[in-house]
Amino acid sequence: MRIDLISIFPDYFAPLELSLVGKAVSSGLVELGVHDLRTWTHDRHRTVDDTPYGGGAGMVMMPQPWGEALDELVPPEAQPTLILPTPSGQLFTQSLAAELAEQDWLLFGCGRYEGIDARVAEHAATRMRVIEVSLGDYVLNGGEVAALAIVEAVVRLLPGVLGNPESLAEESHGADLDGLLEYPMYTKPAQWRGLEVPPVLLSGHHEQVATWRAEQSRQRTAQRRPDLLQGPN
Ligand code: 6GU
């Protein structure tokens, strides 16, 4: 998979050299490109933003540097998926992560300020798939941290990235748990600071363990995320 990221803060993506994603890059499973949006400015101050038409606070990212960046990075016949992280996007979910993991080229356009001139997404959509994606109902200062989260969620799903592919089974939000939250996990010692591991987990009864875990998932989901019990969204 190829992943390109465009941002005025390319240094935000240094952590992609670490850990699992870093290994996927150094092993060649993922080809990573990080690009400074200011490469596609032409004025002395390398300006990327301007005041909003219609008034209001803050600044808006100008379409021109984005347009030139996409023209240069995306050849005429190529079909990357352009992901624009924004708090007004569709919610990023495990099922979207799984779908993105099947693409061969993801391109992230990370906006700052009050966002990117809306014509950038509109124009890009005439020649590639464009999705505006939000991590959740809160506001970050820009798309960079969201892009990091999305890249990590996607890359760990690529075949050959996780040391133990069984780690992908039975995760919170995965299909194996019916979209419920994961049950609590324990390791040795069986007693720690006066707290015991639930005895069923030490019993060796696989069926009882499975029943207990399913019930814990259900209780936990009812308490913390009742919205998930309404079924798949
Ligand atoms: Cl994707 N971007 C920004 N700027 N803020 C967010 C977000 C994205 N998701 C949640 N908050």
Side-chain angles (χ1 to χ4, degrees):
M1 170 182 277
R2 176 168 167 195
I3 300 176
D4 286 279
L5 301 122
I6 311 171
S7 163
I8 58 167
F9 294 120
D11 291 349
Y12 256 100
F13 302 111
L16 295 178
E17 292 178 19
L18 305 175
S19 187
L20 237 124
V21 178
K23 262 176 227 158
V25 172
S26 54
S27 77
L29 270 166
V30 170
E31 190 186 343
L32 192 68
V34 175
H35 311 276
D36 186 342
L37 179 69
R38 293 192 201 273
T39 306
W40 294 279
T41 59
H42 306 289
D43 64 311
R44 213 159 49 84
H45 296 106
R46 311 183 86 194
T47 311
V48 294
D49 62 330
D50 206 334
T51 53
Y53 276 123
M59 299 289 272
V60 176
M61 286 190 123
M62 299 148 51
Q64 170 268 319
W66 286 105
E68 288 185 32
L70 295 173
D71 288 348
E72 183 169 334
L73 293 175
V74 183
E77 301 303 295
Q79 281 284 333
T81 297
L82 176 62
I83 300 164
L84 300 172
T86 165
S88 55
Q90 67 176 91
L91 197 59
F92 183 60
T93 60
Q94 189 64 26
S95 73
L96 183 53
E99 202 260 303
L100 294 177
E102 292 173 5
Q103 310 302 313
D104 30 58
W105 186 5
L106 304 180
L107 175 53
F108 289 85
C110 300
R112 285 262 140 186
Y113 316 112
E114 302 306 308
I116 304 173
D117 185 301
R119 291 168 294 182
V120 172
E122 189 182 341
H123 186 269
T126 65
R127 55 191 194 109
M128 66 191 89
R129 176 185 180 209
V130 179
I131 47 178
E132 299 188 47
V133 176
S134 166
L135 289 193
D137 296 336
Y138 46 85
V139 178
L140 305 171
N141 283 334
E144 287 79 6
V145 166
L148 282 171
I150 296 167
V151 166
E152 182 159 308
V154 168
V155 168
R156 64 192 293 285
L157 298 178
L158 299 178
V161 169
L162 283 196
N164 176 7
E166 285 176 21
S167 307
L168 290 179
E170 299 204 5
E171 283 181 327
S172 293
H173 309 296
D176 289 11
L177 281 167
D178 248 357
L180 303 184
L181 301 184
E182 194 171 11
Y183 45 78
M185 300 288 278
Y186 301 88
T187 187
K188 292 171 280 296
Q191 281 216 30
W192 179 76
R193 297 192 178 182
L195 301 173
E196 306 223 339
V197 171
V200 63
L201 298 178
L202 312 177
S203 69
H205 291 107
H206 299 301
E207 204 165 304
Q208 286 176 31
V209 168
T211 304
W212 181 86
R213 285 177 166 171
E215 175 56 17
Q216 290 291 312
S217 277
R218 198 200 55 76
Q219 275 182 29
R220 205 176 235 204
T221 308
Q223 191 160 51
R224 300 179 180 179
R225 294 291 307 279
D227 56 304
L228 296 178
L229 292 173
Q230 295 356 302
N233 292 309

